[in-house]
Amino acid sequence: MTSTTPISLATLAGLLADATRARFCLALLDGRAWTAGELARHAGVAASTASEHLSHLVRGGLLAEERQGRHRYVRLAGPQVAQLIEDMTAHAERAGAAAGPPTLRAASAARAMAAARTCYDHLAGRLGVAITDALTTRGLLRQDAGFALSDDGLAWFAAELGAVLPASGGRRPLARPCLDWTERRHHLAGTAGAVLCATALERRWVSRIGSGRALRLTGTGRQALSALLGLRDPTGDLADGIAGELRASAAGG
Amino acid sequence: MTSTTPISLATLAGLLADATRARFCLALLDGRAWTAGELARHAGVAASTASEHLSHLVRGGLLAEERQGRHRYVRLAGPQVAQLIEDMTAHAERAGAAAGPPTLRAASAARAMAAARTCYDHLAGRLGVAITDALTTRGLLRQDAGFALSDDGLAWFAAELGAVLPASGGRRPLARPCLDWTERRHHLAGTAGAVLCATALERRWVSRIGSGRALRLTGTGRQALSALLGLRDPTGDLADGIAGELRASAAGG
DNA sequence: CGCACACTTCGGCGGGCGCCGAAACCTCCC
DNA sequence: GGGAGGTTTCGGCGCCCGCCGAAGTGTGCG
């Protein structure tokens, strides 16, 4: 017979089951706060519609809001929510076929996103995966029996980034894998991933392209990654990008 | 033939956004295959309704089906799907308020589930968390800088369980944390968690209570856990259970 | 061969929900 | 104080979707 409470799961899923609300959450994956109007325009719906959706999401605990004057700023409620949306997106992408033919503009944006982007508060794309790989091959990150920083890794964060990472007693894990939906491989998330990303932005290793999630690796960044991790530019400069695309096109056709 | 569904975040969420489909998935978290009729009766809907829901879930990639004669057996498509549903459930439970007052029967079932149960293919409940804690305090599992088995842990699995765990090169991590929705703490999942659970069932350390996910710790199991991990019965025998409940009731009231 | 059973397909019904525009509310700025 | 702009509330509309029962298909058993 019917037992207790299966309602919660359905309710939570229902919050993300609408295309407009899903677009909101995906946009908010950039980790920043958006106004209601920005999100409405982004999703192509009326302001009134957006307002109702946002109230819905806030009530459901997925979003946190902050009112400032006549603006309603809204952001993801926390890393757990970001992780949930990332996980679901990765899962959805896995089974999903390619959509329609992309426009030139969209293709360009997609290329930039594939090279380097933020994933809520950590690094993703080829850059994020390459850094994760470099940490792993240098023995700073162990992926063979789970996913954790080694003692050397903790020391590396302290020495190179000046970040004393707390032993993960809190809710948030210090290091966790996040499935990259362009690379189909794991990159570093958790507190360590956030610290790394914050450092990279702070020291100008990367800079944001426009207002989106896409990142550009700077000259400073190339030098730093090379010095710290022996990493050659993984984002691919223009020539590499085009060549790689031609290769992929030839192989795929 | 239409290619595999062009799944988006909203579409995936939509699959779980219905109360009946959510009930199906939660029931299937026991890791076994159910027939369409069983699920229909479990959720209290007509067979025709259940049939449509199942087709929906299969097309969406959440469920795998296996036809045998006039039966349609269905199970979760894999560990990734189980993890997704676990994660969403944990997230939902966190913000969820208490439901209505439970019946005696439901309370009894809930108590058994809280003591020990399976979570798809690994151990959960007080038992699962206690084992995870024991592994951690003994240095077999490290949670301070991520979540991974130590070298000693790998050796322990080989020596005590006779399980040679593959270096997690494949898709599935060897060890990962799974948030326990009764204990609100992590227990061991991933390949290692699955091996441990399979061993426990095989060696009769635990046995299934009825046809659900709840488990009973056997005398053999008590001895084994004590010998292998220095663990005293964490499920609480009957006296402990009642005493604990009285304490909790007194403290909560 | 025929009945029983498990499941599926098909209409049809009803409720829920996402959408909009209009109007109200609030804040900021001139 | 008035106007402009961002946000919210309120009806109202339309559609999607979950539900059922009845009829149809396929399997197993006597």
Side-chain angles (χ1 to χ4, degrees):
Chain A
M1 259 329 214
T2 67
S3 52
T4 43
T5 70
I7 299 300
S8 323
L9 173 59
T11 304
L12 173 62
L15 289 175
L16 297 171
D18 175 74
T20 300
R21 285 195 296 269
R23 290 200 65 156
F24 285 4
C25 292
L26 289 175
L28 290 165
L29 259 192
D30 69 357
R32 291 175 298 181
W34 292 48
T35 68
E38 284 171 339
L39 286 172
R41 258 172 276 120
H42 174 75
V45 295
S48 56
T49 303
S51 174
E52 287 166 350
H53 280 312
L54 291 180
S55 299
H56 209 165
L57 289 166
V58 168
R59 272 187 181 277
L62 292 187
L63 266 46
E65 71 181 0
E66 208 168 326
R67 335 256 323 190
Q68 268 182 31
R70 53 183 167 181
H71 291 284
R72 178 195 207 177
Y73 284 98
V74 80
R75 56 181 167 77
L76 292 186
Q80 301 98 355
V81 176
Q83 181 179 350
L84 181 71
I85 294 169
E86 288 165 12
D87 286 349
M88 292 191 67
T89 305
H91 195 97
E93 294 292 330
R94 179 172 319 176
T103 65
L104 278 178
R105 184 188 207 91
S108 167
R111 186 158 46 225
M113 291 272 281
R117 66 177 180 278
T118 56
C119 183
Y120 188 60
D121 61 2
H122 55 272
L123 299 172
R126 282 197 299 279
L127 176 62
V129 170
I131 290 178
T132 304
D133 283 350
L135 288 171
T136 304
T137 57
R138 300 202 141 209
L140 307 177
L141 179 67
R142 302 258 324 245
Q143 297 193 50
D144 53 348
F147 196 98
L149 288 178
S150 65
D151 293 336
D152 285 352
L154 288 170
W156 183 87
F157 266 81
E160 306 296 346
L161 270 50
V164 180
L165 297 174
S168 58
R171 223 160 240 258
R172 190 175 196 196
L174 200 143
R176 71 169 180 86
C178 177
L179 189 55
D180 197 293
W181 52 269
T182 51
E183 294 296 295
R184 307 280 175 109
R185 305 201 26 228
H186 290 313
H187 56 245
L188 175 66
T191 304
V195 164
L196 186 57
C197 179
T199 304
L201 280 166
E202 195 177 300
R203 299 191 185 169
R204 305 277 173 182
W205 294 351
V206 293
S207 62
R208 290 193 186 273
I209 300 179
S211 63
R213 299 165 54 186
L215 298 173
R216 179 189 303 108
L217 183 61
T218 66
T220 314
R222 277 191 198 84
Q223 291 171 17
L225 290 183
S226 173
L228 266 59
L229 293 170
L231 200 58
R232 212 184 143 276
D233 182 357
T235 62
D237 54 23
L238 193 55
D240 281 1
I242 290 176
E245 196 156 297
L246 288 176
R247 276 196 303 276
S249 169
Chain B
M1 170 69 83
T2 69
S3 66
T4 53
T5 39
I7 274 207
S8 66
L9 172 59
T11 306
L12 173 62
L15 288 175
L16 296 171
D18 175 74
T20 300
R21 284 196 295 269
R23 289 196 63 118
F24 285 4
C25 291
L26 288 174
L28 289 165
L29 260 191
D30 69 357
R32 290 175 297 180
W34 292 49
T35 68
E38 284 171 339
L39 286 171
R41 257 171 277 122
H42 174 75
V45 295
S48 56
T49 303
S51 175
E52 286 165 350
H53 280 312
L54 291 180
S55 298
H56 210 167
L57 289 166
V58 169
R59 273 189 181 276
L62 292 187
L63 265 45
E65 71 182 358
E66 208 168 327
R67 336 274 296 208
Q68 268 183 31
R70 54 183 168 182
H71 291 285
R72 179 194 207 178
Y73 284 98
V74 80
R75 56 184 166 75
L76 294 186
Q80 301 99 354
V81 176
Q83 181 180 349
L84 180 71
I85 295 170
E86 288 165 12
D87 286 348
M88 293 191 66
T89 304
H91 196 98
E93 293 292 331
R94 177 173 320 177
T103 64
L104 277 179
R105 186 189 205 91
S108 167
R111 184 157 50 223
M113 292 273 282
R117 66 178 180 277
T118 55
C119 183
Y120 188 59
D121 61 1
H122 55 271
L123 298 172
R126 282 198 299 280
L127 177 62
V129 171
I131 290 179
T132 304
D133 284 350
L135 288 170
T136 305
T137 57
R138 300 202 140 208
L140 307 178
L141 179 68
R142 302 257 324 244
Q143 297 192 51
D144 53 349
F147 197 98
L149 288 177
S150 65
D151 293 336
D152 286 353
L154 289 171
W156 184 86
F157 266 81
E160 305 296 347
L161 269 49
V164 180
L165 297 175
S168 58
R171 220 155 241 258
R172 191 175 194 195
L174 201 142
R176 70 168 181 87
C178 176
L179 189 55
D180 196 294
W181 51 270
T182 50
E183 295 295 296
R184 307 281 174 111
R185 305 200 26 226
H186 290 313
H187 56 245
L188 174 65
T191 304
V195 165
L196 185 58
C197 178
T199 304
L201 280 166
E202 195 177 300
R203 299 191 185 170
R204 304 277 173 183
W205 294 350
V206 294
S207 61
R208 290 194 186 274
I209 299 178
S211 62
R213 299 166 54 185
L215 297 173
R216 179 189 304 109
L217 183 61
T218 65
T220 314
R222 278 191 197 86
Q223 292 172 17
L225 290 182
S226 173
L228 266 58
L229 294 170
L231 200 60
R232 211 183 144 279
D233 182 357
T235 62
D237 55 21
L238 193 55
D240 280 1
I242 291 176
E245 195 156 296
L246 287 175
R247 277 196 303 275
S249 168

